């Protein structure tokens, strides 16, 4: 197909923007405390509700793309994403900003599975498919790095809403390029979407995420947490049961019986879990501990994301030497080492020393994402690529949102427990977050404010240490599980093998 490489460019542009949108707001979160009066809990919701909304709808949208056409769904999503970006940029209160971010997530859910499923249909040669997914994964990683840079550049000159308006020209390019270049593909034998399954998957995923998030923040004893947990688990259990009895299920749950598929899904979820959390933590560390501007903070994280893009490309070549399980395990081990390094950060840092773990960890994430995404798509024929892409993206979004919610809460809990507020200084707002401490310090006499800021920075660094160690330990365990779970997966998986495996 002569336009397949042009299609890769359009798909990667959309992917880059969506991953940028996951991190571009991180640098603006401290501003929201002053501009909108957002609380610590509201800040967490503002940061991760976009991912929650996406995760809840990806399965539905992936199946919808298989039925109405992946190109058509991507173009619809591009228009909706642009409109939602404008609404988000001008939200006047924390509550409305959370609602607008939810709408942005709904629009994003229409685009994400379409990008990966289009690649699965365009690149039928196994080697080209793996290489294309490597570039796609690299753009995802690059987006995490570019997001803070774009955000920092805009925030140095404009208000926080500008980080969403930048979506408009990029989505315009995706829309025009998609119309001219992308081929249409769909499943000609797809049946009707089962609406009860749609409701079950959405309610189940959102309820479980809510329960985990609130339990990490307020404990398991809260009534709403218990209700959400029971509701979520019940909905997902019934969803899985229902899929086994439908002629055209949203997800072929038999795929999870395959060790390689399950291992790839789980590895992606846990890898992005740590990556998203540390992206948020570093945005705060660079600005509020080291005192850097938003632009400086964004540029500081750029090498990590760019090395992830390089890792995505290198992974396709590395498979032939150490196998798929070796590449994934190596990538996760590299990332664990970088988190271990981060647990030694202090109130002052030599940035050149930080570059080493940042580049190593970024490369490692690129290795893992590329191989895992290729494994996931390789389990289904191209007619069902949208559904498989949705499962992959759901693990990605769910992991990122949970990472912010859980590891972000670990950070906040450690910060609150470690903060030693001087007796003559009001500390209620300061205990909620380091941004709250900075806001409180600005209203105090200089000497008191300086003491509060120092205490808050010390407590925050302690939180970074605990969070970094927790992430490192988890990644070591996941690396071992991935090495065992992906053992025996062929280095090159041709189309005819995929067809037999699925039948």
């Amino acid at each position: 197909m002569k336009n397949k490489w042009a299609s890769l460019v359009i798909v990667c542009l959309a992917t880059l923007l969506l991953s940028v949108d996951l991190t571009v707001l991180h640098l603006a979160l401290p501003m929201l405390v002053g501009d909108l009066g957002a609380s610590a809990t509201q800040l967490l919701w503002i940061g991760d509700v976009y991912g929650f909304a996406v995760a809840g709808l990806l399965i539905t949208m992936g199946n919808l793309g298989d039925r109405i056409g992946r190109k058509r769904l991507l173009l619809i999503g591009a228009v909706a994403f642009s409109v939602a970006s404008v609404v988000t940029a001008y939200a006047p209160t924390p509550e409305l900003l959370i609602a607008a971010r939810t709408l942005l997530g709904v629009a994003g859910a229409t685009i994400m599975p379409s990008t990966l499923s289009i690649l699965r249909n365009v690149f039928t040669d196994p080697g080209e498919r793996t290489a294309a997914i490597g570039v796609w994964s690299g753009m995802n990683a690059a987006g995490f790095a570019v997001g803070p840079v774009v955000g920092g550049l805009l925030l140095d000159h404009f208000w926080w809403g500008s980080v969403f308006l930048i979506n408009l020209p990029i989505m315009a390019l995706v829309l025009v390029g998609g119309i001219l270049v992308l081929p249409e593909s769909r499943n000609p034998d797809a049946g009707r979407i089962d609406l009860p399954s749609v409701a079950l998957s959405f309610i189940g995923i959102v309820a479980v995420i809510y329960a985990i998030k609130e339990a990490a923040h307020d404990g398991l004893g809260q009534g709403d947490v218990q209700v959400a947990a029971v509701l979520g688990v019940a909905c997902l259990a019934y969803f899985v049961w229902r899929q086994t009895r439908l002629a055209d299920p949203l997800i072929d749950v038999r795929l999870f019986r395959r060790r390689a598929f399950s291992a790839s899904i789980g590895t992606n979820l846990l890898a992005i879990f740590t990556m998203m959390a540390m992206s948020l933590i570093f945005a705060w560390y660079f600005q509020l501990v080291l005192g850097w501007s938003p632009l400086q903070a964004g540029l500081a994280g750029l090498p990590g994301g760019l090395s992830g893009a390089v890792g995505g490309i290198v992974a396709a070549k590395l498979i032939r030497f150490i196998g798929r399980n070796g590449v994934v395990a190596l990538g996760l081990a590299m990332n664990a080492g970088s988190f271990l390094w981060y647990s030694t950060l202090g109130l002052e840092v030599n940035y050149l020393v930080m570059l080493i773990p940042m580049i190593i960890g970024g490369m490692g994430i690129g290795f893992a994402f590329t191989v895992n995404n290729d494994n996931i798509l390789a389990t289904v024929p191209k007619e069902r690529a949208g559904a498989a892409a949705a499962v992959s993206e759901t693990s990605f979004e769910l992991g990122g949102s949970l990472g912010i919610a859980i590891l972000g809460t670990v950070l906040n809990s450690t910060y609150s427990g470690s903060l030693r507020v001087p007796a003559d200084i009001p500390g209620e707002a300061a205990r909620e977050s380091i941004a709250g401490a900075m806001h409180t310090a600005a209203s105090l006499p200089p000497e008191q404010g300086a003491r509060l800021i120092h205490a808050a920075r010390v407590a925050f660094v302690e939180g970074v240490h605990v969070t970094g160690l927790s992430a490192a330990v988890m990644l070591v365990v996941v690396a071992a599980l991935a090495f065992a779970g992906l053992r025996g997966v062929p280095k090159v998986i041709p189309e005819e093998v995929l067809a037999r495996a699925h039948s």
Side-chain angles (χ1 to χ4, degrees), residues 334-347:
M334 291 165 63
N335 207 236
S338 68
F339 280 111
L340 189 63
W341 198 316
Y342 296 147
S343 67
T344 65
L345 294 175
L347 295 179

Side-chain angles (χ1 to χ4, degrees), residues 241-292:
W241 178 86
R242 187 176 180 85
Q243 302 316 294
T244 63
R245 283 153 177 80
L246 292 174
D248 295 294
L250 292 187
I251 294 178
D252 184 356
V253 294
R254 294 172 300 176
L255 292 173
F256 287 93
R257 298 175 185 172
R258 296 176 189 158
R259 189 174 56 176
F261 182 85
S262 299
S264 296
I265 292 293
T267 302
N268 264 2
L269 189 151
L270 293 172
I272 195 64
F273 181 105
T274 56
M275 183 178 174
M276 277 297 298
M278 291 309 294
S279 173
L280 175 62
I281 290 169
F282 276 141
W284 289 56
Y285 175 78
F286 288 141
Q287 290 183 88
L288 301 181
V289 174
L290 302 184
W292 294 356

Side-chain angles (χ1 to χ4, degrees), residues 66 71 164 167 354 378 479:
D66 284 341
K71 172 182 176 177
F164 297 106
N167 295 340
M354 281 192 68

Side-chain angles (χ1 to χ4, degrees), residues 81-443:
F81 197 87
S82 301
V83 173
S85 295
V86 175
V87 175
T88 305
Y90 291 101
T93 66
E95 293 81 7
L96 290 176
L97 180 57
I98 292 171
R101 286 277 286 171
T102 303
L103 294 176
L104 201 63
V106 173
T110 67
I111 300 174
M112 286 188 174
S114 299
T115 62
L116 199 52
S117 57
I118 286 172
L119 292 184
R120 173 67 176 85
N121 279 267
V122 170
F123 291 91
T124 55
D125 176 80
E128 289 185 347
R129 184 196 65 232
T130 303
I133 292 175
V135 175
W136 179 91
S137 299
M139 289 301 101
N140 258 320
F144 284 102
V146 173
V149 175
V150 172
L153 184 62
L154 292 171
L155 293 172
D156 272 0
H157 297 88
F158 306 102
W159 96 115
W160 59 265
S162 62
V163 300
F164 297 106
L165 295 182
I166 194 65
N167 295 340
L168 301 181
I170 299 176
M171 272 303 171
L173 291 176
V174 172
L175 188 61
V176 174
I179 292 173
L180 297 176
V181 172
L182 293 180
E184 185 59 281
S185 61
R186 60 173 60 88
N187 182 359
D189 299 320
R192 298 177 63 182
I193 290 181
D194 183 59
L195 293 182
S197 294
V198 171
L200 288 169
S201 65
F202 180 80
I203 295 172
I205 291 173
V206 172
V208 166
I209 293 174
Y210 177 85
I212 293 174
K213 174 183 172 60
E214 293 301 308
H217 190 265
D218 297 321
L220 290 171
Q222 303 297 315
D224 59 336
V225 171
Q226 296 171 356
V227 171
V230 172
L231 176 64
V233 171
C235 285
L236 291 179
Y238 184 46
F239 171 81
V240 172
W241 178 86
R242 187 176 180 85
Q243 302 316 294
T244 63
R245 283 153 177 80
L246 292 174
D248 295 294
L250 292 187
I251 294 178
D252 184 356
V253 294
R254 294 172 300 176
L255 292 173
F256 287 93
R257 298 175 185 172
R258 296 176 189 158
R259 189 174 56 176
F261 182 85
S262 299
S264 296
I265 292 293
T267 302
N268 264 2
L269 189 151
L270 293 172
I272 195 64
F273 181 105
T274 56
M275 183 178 174
M276 277 297 298
M278 291 309 294
S279 173
L280 175 62
I281 290 169
F282 276 141
W284 289 56
Y285 175 78
F286 288 141
Q287 290 183 88
L288 301 181
V289 174
L290 302 184
W292 294 356
S293 70
L295 179 58
Q296 287 176 313
L299 289 172
L302 188 59
L306 295 182
S307 64
V310 175
I313 298 171
V314 172
K317 300 182 180 298
L318 195 58
I319 289 173
R320 71 183 68 171
F321 298 105
I322 61 176
R324 290 174 178 262
N325 65 328
V327 175
V328 174
L330 174 62
L332 294 173
M334 291 165 63
N335 207 236
S338 68
F339 280 111
L340 189 63
W341 198 316
Y342 296 147
S343 67
T344 65
L345 294 175
L347 295 179
E348 298 180 358
V349 67
N350 183 335
Y351 177 69
L352 293 179
V353 174
M354 281 192 68
L355 279 178
I356 298 174
M358 196 179 296
I359 292 173
I360 291 174
M363 287 279 289
I365 284 292
F367 288 173
F369 284 165
T370 295
V371 177
N372 282 330
N373 285 324
D374 193 41
N375 291 343
I376 293 166
L377 285 185
T379 59
V380 297
K382 58 185 180 180
E383 290 78 14
R384 292 280 292 169
V391 174
S392 175
E393 292 283 5
T394 297
S395 69
F396 187 94
E397 295 302 322
L398 184 60
S401 297
L402 289 175
I404 293 176
I406 296 177
L407 289 183
T409 302
V410 169
L411 174 71
N412 285 339
S413 298
T414 306
Y415 165 83
S416 298
S418 304
L419 183 63
R420 300 293 179 263
V421 180
D424 59 333
I425 297 176
E428 182 177 351
R431 289 193 181 280
E432 283 200 357
S433 67
I434 187 173
M438 298 295 180
H439 187 62
T440 299
S443 63

